[in-house]
Amino acid sequence: MNPSLEASFREQLDPLRGLWLCVGVVSGWCVFAMPWPFGVATGTVIALAGLWAARSAGSRIALLAGAVVQVGFFQAWEPVPVPADREGRFRVVVERRTAPGKGVCRILSSVDPTLLDRRVRCEGELGDSLEGKARLRPLRPASNPGGFDARSWGASAGLEGFLVWDDDSLLVRKGPVPFGEGLRKWTENVTTHALASRMEASSASLWTATLLARNDALPTAALEAFRQSGLFHMLSVSGFHMAVLGGGLVVLLTLLRVGRRASWLLAASSVLAYAWLLSFPPPVTRSALAFLVLAGAMASGRRPNARNAFFLAAALLLVLQPNVAFQMGAQLTFVATAALLWGTPALTRFVPLRWRRGRIHDWLVAPVLASLAATLATAPVLAWHVGTVAWIGIPAGLVSAAAFALGFLSALATVLMAWLPAWCSWGFAGAAEGSARLVYEVALRAGEWSPGSLVPGRPDPWILVGCLLSLVLFFFTVRRRVAGRIWVVLALVVVAMFAYAWRPVPPRLRLIALDVGQGSATLATWPSGRNWLVDAGPGARTEGGRDAGRDAILPAMRILGIPKLDVVAISHA
């Protein structure tokens, strides 16, 4: 590396204590999360490279502290679920509610002593103690290409499996409802009733889903439209929602002449309370933690460093939830955030100087560049997990983001004014309805436009890594104006990857039998390139029920890179 470039690189990174803490946490995580001895070797290499790159004693202490803390917390993490069915008598207590009538239980007694104090999914209300004969079923891996891998999800969430009770022997002891759970239920009921009574049904379902993180409140067709249009992140309570909520509170408190420190502390407390009311699901936890780090910096009077806050939030989350690295939502969150911090300034260099300041930059250029950077960075991750990249989400997000923020805050104000007469909240309810209609229209139109989504299929692992590294090099080299030879190397790497991805494949017949529950469905790709579907399995009999097309066939087509079907053959009806 060029000595001057190396010195500049170190000078910029050394003060970032959050970065070195994150490096130490990652090195400790690798030791336990990766197979032996590869994990130990990888963790050691990362730690030694970090100690060499860090210049000050404070940075090296932060790195070592991160490694030690991660190793200590990792001792309590058990990522492997049970491999086979276990049947016998169980006694459990419901510790956490995940849905009405369902939750996460802790095993108090079992025929297998190794299962004591493990967590499983089961039916029951929070605080209930259940005892009886049951079967502990392991969570199954994905049975179809692109299907939901329940086993990996359960391992990342620390769950052993799903407990199915024998109703004849089940004994339920109702426990006292904790105060927190009672408050959550009361808040959920008030929110649902206020929205349903003060605005029309479709708008109420959208804001119920976003305020309470309950996607089941939306019709299946609307959920699919949000997925196809690249706007599904608006339904998950994420960093966008926390930024709207926390930023809106800071602006409101500032207008009320509240001091800067008090405004940020009150906003941080409100965000934390909101996350607690939602029971801290993973997306909410990540976004709330990031906002708390930012609010802490602002309240302390220090100049906020977004990059340091990014690494600090990543380190804390990886320590508290070692499974977060395996979750697609977490991967998308951190990749998109990194793209906003490093990619957007790099892309700004391609914008003419007269457009880099003023209202045109603030209201048009900056949002477009931020959306473009996030889409470029998350495209390889989305292609790996779901096989599609919805580029239409860039313009769709720009059109609907302001309307969504306005509607989100208006719906929240409508709920807060539920104790007042209905006419007092007509203005907020009307704004929420109008915003919901615009967001629905954008999502439906963008989702119906088939060219708006690319279907590359799942790439090879090394192509995925190469794409991400190419983006990192691109963002890094553009901002620092490095020598042209690095651009040549980068261009050659990109050309080689795409040449390999689109290399001619010998023609062959490919048959894939899909698990559709009842009946059969077979995808056939002929040597000519035509795609057939023979039979399609059952459709959904009720709203939200299992649908073979939505749950099995479409995900398989996307992950396999099949954009459309040429023939659909039905053997019988």
Side-chain angles (χ1 to χ4, degrees):
M1 183 182 289
N2 188 333
S4 61
L5 182 62
E6 179 182 352
S8 174
F9 182 73
R10 287 192 173 190
E11 287 176 2
Q12 294 187 30
L13 295 184
D14 194 68
L16 299 180
R17 297 292 187 264
L19 167 64
W20 302 113
L21 181 70
C22 187
V23 170
V25 168
V26 171
S27 66
W29 181 89
C30 291
V31 172
F32 288 89
M34 294 183 177
W36 170 272
F38 181 72
V40 174
T42 304
T44 303
V45 169
I46 292 176
L48 293 177
L51 291 173
W52 171 81
R55 301 180 62 184
S56 66
S59 299
R60 293 172 179 172
I61 292 174
L63 189 151
L64 294 175
V68 171
V69 171
Q70 179 66 294
V71 170
F73 272 80
F74 224 115
Q75 303 298 324
W77 185 50
E78 178 59 53
V80 182
V82 293
D85 285 7
R86 305 288 179 87
E87 190 171 0
R89 195 167 186 84
F90 289 85
R91 183 166 64 91
V92 302
V93 60
V94 182
E95 291 187 331
R96 182 161 56 89
R97 176 175 174 264
T98 57
K102 298 180 180 180
V104 174
C105 309
R106 180 168 60 91
I107 299 177
L108 301 179
S109 65
S110 166
V111 292
D112 186 352
T114 61
L115 295 177
L116 295 181
D117 292 327
R118 301 291 181 88
R119 267 69 179 177
V120 296
R121 296 190 69 185
C122 69
E123 297 182 353
E125 297 293 340
L126 185 65
D128 288 356
S129 177
L130 300 92
E131 184 176 3
K133 187 177 180 181
R135 173 176 294 179
L136 179 58
R137 293 180 177 176
L139 299 171
R140 298 181 178 180
S143 57
N144 293 318
F148 177 64
D149 191 346
R151 180 176 175 82
S152 297
W153 172 83
S156 67
L159 299 177
E160 303 296 331
F162 188 81
L163 204 59
V164 181
W165 295 99
D166 181 358
D167 295 335
D168 295 335
S169 63
L170 179 61
L171 177 62
V172 180
R173 298 183 180 90
K174 304 297 291 186
V177 178
F179 172 76
E181 181 62 19
L183 182 59
R184 290 188 183 99
K185 287 186 175 181
W186 178 82
T187 304
E188 183 176 331
N189 293 334
V190 169
T191 302
T192 304
H193 179 266
L195 295 176
S197 61
R198 304 197 177 191
M199 59 185 71
E200 50 94 17
S202 60
S203 300
S205 63
L206 175 62
W207 302 125
T208 299
T210 53
L211 287 175
L212 299 177
R214 283 185 48 193
N215 289 343
D216 59 333
L218 282 173
T220 304
L223 286 174
E224 188 63 24
F226 275 94
R227 289 191 181 96
Q228 292 295 319
S229 62
L231 299 178
F232 193 75
H233 63 281
M234 288 188 173
L235 301 181
S236 302
V237 178
S238 58
F240 177 71
H241 299 73
M242 292 303 184
V244 171
L245 176 61
L249 286 174
V250 170
V251 172
L252 176 62
L253 293 171
T254 302
L255 293 176
L256 295 176
R257 307 285 183 172
V258 179
R260 174 181 175 179
R261 175 175 296 182
S263 297
W264 280 101
L265 290 177
L266 288 173
S269 302
S270 300
V271 166
L272 186 62
Y274 180 56
W276 176 79
L277 284 172
L278 297 180
S279 300
F280 290 102
V284 177
T285 304
R286 292 193 297 269
S287 52
L289 183 60
F291 187 85
L292 291 177
V293 172
L294 174 62
M298 297 297 293
S300 64
R302 299 179 59 182
R303 182 180 179 182
N305 189 316
R307 295 170 178 82
N308 197 50
F310 169 80
F311 288 116
L312 182 59
L316 293 177
L317 196 60
L318 199 58
V319 167
L320 298 176
Q321 298 181 1
N323 53 66
V324 75
F326 301 110
Q327 299 170 0
M328 182 182 72
Q331 296 169 8
L332 292 174
T333 297
F334 285 107
V335 169
T337 305
L340 295 177
L341 294 176
W342 285 276
T344 304
L347 294 178
T348 304
R349 293 189 176 274
F350 294 95
V351 178
L353 289 175
R354 65 179 182 274
W355 288 358
R356 294 187 189 180
R357 59 181 64 89
R359 294 184 178 179
I360 294 180
H361 173 269
D362 296 339
W363 293 94
L364 180 61
V365 177
V368 170
L369 293 180
S371 297
L372 181 59
T375 302
L376 288 174
T378 56
V381 181
L382 286 172
W384 174 262
H385 285 285
V386 298
T388 61
V389 178
W391 67 266
I392 192 64
I394 297 177
L398 293 175
V399 172
S400 58
F404 190 90
L406 174 63
F408 181 82
L409 293 176
S410 298
L412 181 60
T414 303
V415 173
L416 295 176
M417 300 175 69
W419 57 279
L420 296 173
W423 60 267
C424 295
S425 60
W426 281 350
F428 292 112
E433 279 194 16
S435 301
R437 290 174 182 173
L438 177 59
V439 172
Y440 270 130
E441 189 68 19
V442 172
L444 292 173
R445 299 301 180 190
E448 291 174 353
W449 193 47
S450 55
S453 295
L454 304 177
V455 188
R458 173 171 287 177
D460 291 338
W462 79 273
I463 290 183
L464 173 69
V465 175
C467 288
L468 292 174
L469 289 179
S470 298
L471 286 172
V472 171
L473 287 174
F474 172 72
F475 293 151
F476 177 75
T477 55
V478 168
R479 294 190 64 192
R480 287 161 179 77
R481 302 182 184 275
V482 297
R485 61 180 179 272
I486 297 184
W487 280 92
V488 174
V489 173
L490 179 61
L492 291 176
V493 170
V494 173
V495 170
M497 287 191 304
F498 280 96
Y500 177 83
W502 277 282
R503 69 193 185 281
V505 179
R508 60 178 180 175
L509 174 64
R510 181 176 62 176
L511 298 175
I512 299 176
L514 302 178
D515 180 7
V516 292
Q518 179 182 357
S520 63
T522 304
L523 281 171
T525 300
W526 297 90
S528 62
R530 293 171 63 84
N531 300 300
W532 287 25
L533 174 65
V534 181
D535 289 332
R541 299 181 182 273
T542 59
E543 174 66 30
R546 178 177 173 82
D547 182 276
R550 181 189 68 240
D551 300 333
I553 298 174
L554 285 178
M557 289 176 58
R558 293 166 184 159
I559 208 71
L560 295 172
I562 300 176
K564 64 176 182 177
L565 294 171
D566 299 294
V567 175
V568 176
I570 304 298
S571 62
H572 62 280

